[in-house]
Amino acid sequence: METRLERKKMIGGRMSNESFITLFMIGVLVVLFGVSCAIVPRFYLPQNMINLLTNNWYIIMLGIGVTFLLITGNFDMSVGGVIAMTGVLSVWFCQDATASQNALAVGLGLPYGVAIALALLCAMGIGAINAFFIARLKVPSIIITLGTMMIARGVAQIVAQGAQRNTSLPDVFGVLGGLTIPGMSIKLSVLVMAILVVAAFVFEKKTVAGRRTYLIGANSVAARLSGVNVRRHLTSLFIISSLLAGITGILLSSEFKAGGSSRAMGYEFDALVISLLGGVSIAGGFGSVLGMFVGAVILSVVTSAATGLLLSPDWQFTIKGVVTFIAILAQRFALDKRKG
Amino acid sequence: MNSANEYTLRTQLERSNAVRSNIKKLYIYVVLVLIVAVFSVVKLGQVEFFGRGHFLSPDSIINLLRSAVPILTLSGAFTLLMISGYIDLSVGSAMSLSAVVFSWLILNGVSFLPAFLVTLVMGISLGFLNGLLVMKLRITPVIATLVTLNLFKGIALLIVPHGLSAIKGSATKLMPAWINDYARLDVLLGLPWAFYVAILVIVVLVIVQRKTILGKYAAAVGGNRTSAELSGINAVKLVWLLYIIVGFFAALAGMARASYMSLGDPLSGDGMELDCIIAVLLGGTAFSGGEGSVAKTIVGALIIVCLTTGLMTVIPAFWQTMAKGSVLIAAVVLNHLLVREKVKA
């Protein structure tokens, strides 16, 4: 332990820019939270704090994949579409095959486990398409993932015929999304999110693959020349990102006991916003999952404070946009000052 | 390797390059003709050629051209921006916002010309904001314009009164009927003013791209920004200007949409950025910038309009998203095969 501390001192004892930005955003969060408590009635109640941390669980789950991809310098805009697709597909696979006349009530009648596995496989398929075009053909990620976003949502719309599927489902379908941790009002989904965030944090800080992600983002040519299989790494990241979106889609559809083709509209943007708020830089090689989590809490503090101040929900888009720009510029300003 | 061998190799290479550049020059026209042909034949079973209801009937062609006005107006300027290596994902929302502002002004008693000019000025300021964020504050183009996409959409949603889906006339407040005059009224050959404005815009932008310094500089910046700056081009000002031009035409396109539908729908421009990207990629503009052609983008835009309109008559509406996504991916692959390879060779 002691030697470790000493070594840290010898290196210089200075925080990395990454920790600096994360701390900076935590500071911003504390200030925002303080201000909100002061001006919004009943903001400080413990239940509200729990809500702030947990209400956005689906965005945070998406944020994990999106953050890692942003660190490598790539976008993933397909996650919202993948949520809708896996949701609708898992319902369709599960629905009774002989139920009724209504086309939207007739499914494939597969057991729930198989249905989930197949839906997740389809989600990973979208990730594989992304990876093929981006890692192999070197097409800009923003274009391809916008295309696969439409394809994934298109599958959802075709299967749900532009509406939603919610009838003749087995009882087991609603179990996953409805489970809560005994004795607390926290959903299973939130626990899954927490476990995944911790896992992602460990992956990022403690594994070779995690560190390679940063190397690829900082300089992908140098990464390749120093023996990193950039293509394979990007491929796994894209598939993981789609898989996380798929898991989110399964949990959401189970919670609502329905698969809607317009579910998760715009979630890809929210996931991007929380990553940016957490200090992830698209220029590559910079950012952290912890920062992303802080960004998510900042966003929920801001939006819930705005709702508490009786702004109509229509303000959400505008608030998100302004907050993101302020955050990007503030982070850059803080980094410049630090160097200065 | 002996020289004869080398010679044949080189001629082979040149020949394959020539073939490829010919394919690159012509394929987009072939695609357009093919699509039109397919949709004509699909409908041929029901009605006679050029008859009513046929894909190539005068009515349907006029309808098609009228609905093509927004993308025709916008995609030329979008191409110039892409040639310079930058992108504006907020065009769709800028369009929606312009449509909403324009119809809000008209609904509240402003006459056509002032409303038109105010909306154009607003479009210019939207472009100015994008340029400021990207060029002055140096935020990555995709991120900056993705955020302004949501910002503009948010503002458009705020302008629309709570509980309504769009700015439209009500029992107490009628939308003046002349809002249609710009994009629906038959001026010449069944086509409205907005269409001829779009044609004028295209002609001007083709000339700008081919014959003026602006076009050359845009390509220079897209090819290599550093060397363009070293040879005296002010890239910041140039691209900023291009963002402003794109904002201007987004406003023009938005007003055409609003006038066509006689209402201001805050979601009416959704997806326009993707349509523009598809048109530009089909037109063979390199995604990284440096080369491209406004004229070919227009052909690409016509392809999209034919596809969207044609598909609507053939497949159910809920297949549209899938179809458009596949077209986008196909356009990327085509572009990749034809544009990238040439650079490598």
Side-chain angles (χ1 to χ4, degrees):
Chain A
M1 205 52 214
E2 229 179 301
T3 49
R4 212 170 179 190
L5 269 177
E6 273 168 10
R7 203 186 306 152
K8 228 175 195 172
K9 265 182 200 154
M10 270 166 64
I11 291 171
R14 237 168 104 90
M15 251 188 292
S16 69
N17 276 344
E18 197 183 293
S19 328
F20 173 72
I21 282 295
T22 309
L23 279 178
F24 176 72
M25 291 320 282
I26 290 177
V28 171
L29 172 61
V30 170
V31 171
L32 279 176
F33 185 74
V35 172
S36 306
C37 284
I39 57 174
V40 180
R42 290 192 298 285
F43 202 80
Y44 55 86
L45 293 179
Q47 185 53 46
N48 188 45
M49 289 190 206
I50 294 177
N51 285 348
L52 288 178
L53 287 173
T54 57
N55 268 2
N56 274 345
W57 65 268
Y58 42 87
I59 303 293
I60 298 173
M61 292 219 343
L62 299 180
I64 296 171
V66 169
T67 299
F68 281 124
L69 282 170
L70 271 181
I71 291 172
T72 67
N74 287 292
F75 292 93
D76 189 351
M77 303 302 289
S78 67
V79 285
V82 170
I83 289 185
M85 184 186 79
T86 36
V88 171
L89 284 181
S90 68
V91 173
W92 183 48
F93 291 153
C94 250
Q95 276 174 325
D96 208 333
T98 53
S100 73
Q101 308 294 318
N102 185 354
L104 278 179
V106 180
L108 298 184
L110 297 172
Y112 188 52
V114 179
I116 285 187
L118 280 180
L120 288 179
L121 215 60
C122 294
M124 288 162 80
I126 295 287
I129 298 178
N130 287 335
F132 173 77
F133 283 106
I134 296 158
R136 193 162 283 266
L137 297 187
K138 308 265 184 303
V139 181
S141 54
I142 181 80
I143 299 301
I144 288 299
T145 54
L146 280 173
T148 48
M149 166 185 93
M150 296 174 91
I151 289 184
R153 194 169 289 286
V155 170
Q157 286 181 350
I158 291 167
V159 174
Q161 301 191 2
Q164 62 168 355
R165 286 175 169 265
N166 55 9
T167 45
S168 67
L169 279 168
D171 290 338
V172 65
F173 192 86
V175 170
L176 271 183
L179 274 182
T180 53
I181 300 166
M184 283 192 279
S185 62
I186 293 174
K187 283 181 292 190
L188 173 75
S189 314
V190 174
L191 186 67
V192 172
M193 178 271 282
I195 292 171
L196 284 171
V197 167
V198 172
F201 185 73
V202 173
F203 170 78
E204 174 198 299
K205 297 290 181 213
K206 297 290 173 201
T207 66
V208 178
R211 303 317 295 172
R212 276 180 182 162
T213 312
Y214 287 85
L215 180 56
I216 292 173
N219 189 335
S220 104
V221 178
R224 201 186 71 229
L225 292 178
S226 52
V228 178
N229 192 336
V230 176
R231 206 181 263 175
R232 198 167 65 199
H233 198 90
L234 276 183
T235 306
S236 352
L237 284 181
F238 270 109
I239 292 180
I240 288 171
S241 177
S242 291
L243 180 63
L244 287 174
I247 294 173
T248 314
I250 299 268
L251 288 172
L252 276 176
S253 68
S254 165
E255 187 177 333
F256 291 96
K257 294 198 184 65
S261 56
S262 54
R263 168 111 55 239
M265 212 65 120
Y267 282 16
E268 58 279 344
F269 179 68
D270 290 353
L272 186 68
V273 163
I274 62 170
S275 304
L276 294 174
L277 284 180
V280 183
S281 157
I282 182 63
F286 194 84
S288 68
V289 171
L290 189 64
M292 182 274 294
F293 186 77
V294 175
V297 182
I298 290 182
L299 189 65
S300 60
V301 166
V302 171
T303 45
S304 94
T307 325
L309 288 174
L310 299 178
L311 287 181
S312 85
D314 293 345
W315 277 89
Q316 276 204 19
F317 283 110
T318 316
I319 291 173
K320 269 180 215 160
V322 172
V323 168
T324 314
F325 280 133
I326 294 176
I328 293 176
L329 295 174
Q331 285 162 8
R332 187 183 301 154
F333 182 73
L335 277 181
D336 284 352
K337 271 272 165 223
R338 188 163 193 255
K339 271 179 215 149
Chain B
M1 200 184 289
N2 62 36
S3 62
N5 233 342
E6 202 172 279
Y7 177 76
T8 44
L9 256 181
R10 194 181 295 157
T11 45
Q12 264 175 1
L13 196 67
E14 270 166 14
R15 203 170 297 151
S16 77
N17 266 348
V19 169
R20 189 172 282 141
S21 76
N22 275 335
I23 295 177
K24 198 188 145 194
K25 259 183 219 151
L26 295 174
Y27 85 96
I28 186 162
Y29 304 102
V30 177
V31 172
L32 180 59
V33 171
L34 268 181
I35 286 172
V36 172
V38 165
F39 284 122
S40 316
V41 172
V42 167
K43 288 302 240 173
L44 199 60
Q46 304 162 18
V47 267
E48 89 253 46
F49 213 52
F50 290 111
R52 210 179 145 67
H54 187 267
F55 192 72
L56 285 177
S57 71
D59 278 3
S60 124
I61 291 177
I62 283 173
N63 250 331
L64 195 134
L65 290 178
R66 278 203 301 200
S67 62
V69 166
I71 191 168
L72 290 181
T73 314
L74 186 52
S75 55
F78 198 85
T79 314
L80 280 180
L81 187 63
M82 295 263 296
I83 289 176
S84 74
Y86 287 80
I87 194 164
D88 185 352
L89 294 174
S90 71
V91 286
S93 292
M95 247 183 82
S96 310
L97 181 54
S98 312
V100 167
V101 168
F102 181 66
S103 39
W104 185 85
L105 287 171
I106 285 186
L107 188 63
N108 285 294
V110 181
S111 56
F112 180 77
L113 203 62
F116 196 77
L117 292 178
V118 167
T119 313
L120 282 182
V121 170
M122 190 207 65
I124 288 175
S125 45
L126 298 184
F128 183 85
L129 176 65
N130 278 329
L132 178 79
L133 293 167
V134 173
M135 299 314 290
K136 209 68 185 177
L137 302 176
R138 299 191 320 281
I139 301 176
T140 315
V142 171
I143 288 181
T145 57
L146 206 55
V147 178
T148 51
L149 183 163
N150 285 270
L151 193 63
F152 298 163
K153 190 196 271 184
I155 298 172
L157 286 168
L158 279 179
I159 296 175
V160 176
H162 203 68
L164 285 181
S165 62
I167 301 269
K168 52 189 169 190
S170 59
T172 48
K173 220 179 206 179
L174 283 175
M175 180 69 85
W178 50 260
I179 190 179
N180 274 158
D181 286 2
Y182 178 57
R184 246 182 212 278
L185 185 74
D186 176 357
V187 179
L188 185 68
L189 297 173
L191 291 162
W193 279 112
F195 178 78
Y196 296 104
V197 171
I199 296 293
L200 181 70
V201 167
I202 291 167
V203 171
V204 168
L205 285 179
V206 167
I207 293 172
V208 163
Q209 187 230 325
R210 295 210 174 142
K211 300 287 176 203
T212 68
I213 290 180
L214 188 60
K216 305 285 173 205
Y217 280 7
V221 171
N224 187 337
R225 183 172 164 183
T226 315
S227 62
E229 281 182 328
L230 286 177
S231 46
I233 298 173
N234 187 338
V236 173
K237 271 191 185 157
L238 178 92
V239 180
W240 202 337
L241 178 65
L242 290 177
Y243 270 109
I244 291 174
I245 293 175
V246 169
F248 177 88
F249 287 120
L252 198 61
M255 285 187 284
R257 186 58 71 76
S259 162
Y260 186 72
M261 308 198 303
S262 46
L263 51 79
D265 181 355
L267 303 176
S268 60
D270 273 18
M272 184 49 91
E273 63 280 357
L274 289 171
D275 286 1
C276 282
I277 290 173
I278 299 175
V280 166
L281 289 180
L282 281 175
T285 298
F287 196 83
S288 47
E291 66 165 305
S293 142
V294 172
K296 281 197 176 161
T297 297
I298 300 302
V299 185
L302 285 177
I303 291 182
I304 294 172
V305 176
C306 287
L307 260 182
T308 325
T309 321
L311 284 177
M312 256 192 285
T313 61
V314 184
I315 54 174
F318 48 81
W319 280 79
Q320 293 274 343
T321 314
M322 176 72 156
K324 205 161 248 177
S326 316
V327 171
L328 175 56
I329 303 262
V332 170
V333 173
L334 263 179
N335 188 281
H336 178 84
L337 291 177
L338 294 166
V339 178
R340 269 295 165 83
E341 291 292 315
K342 203 203 114 214
V343 176
K344 211 188 279 171

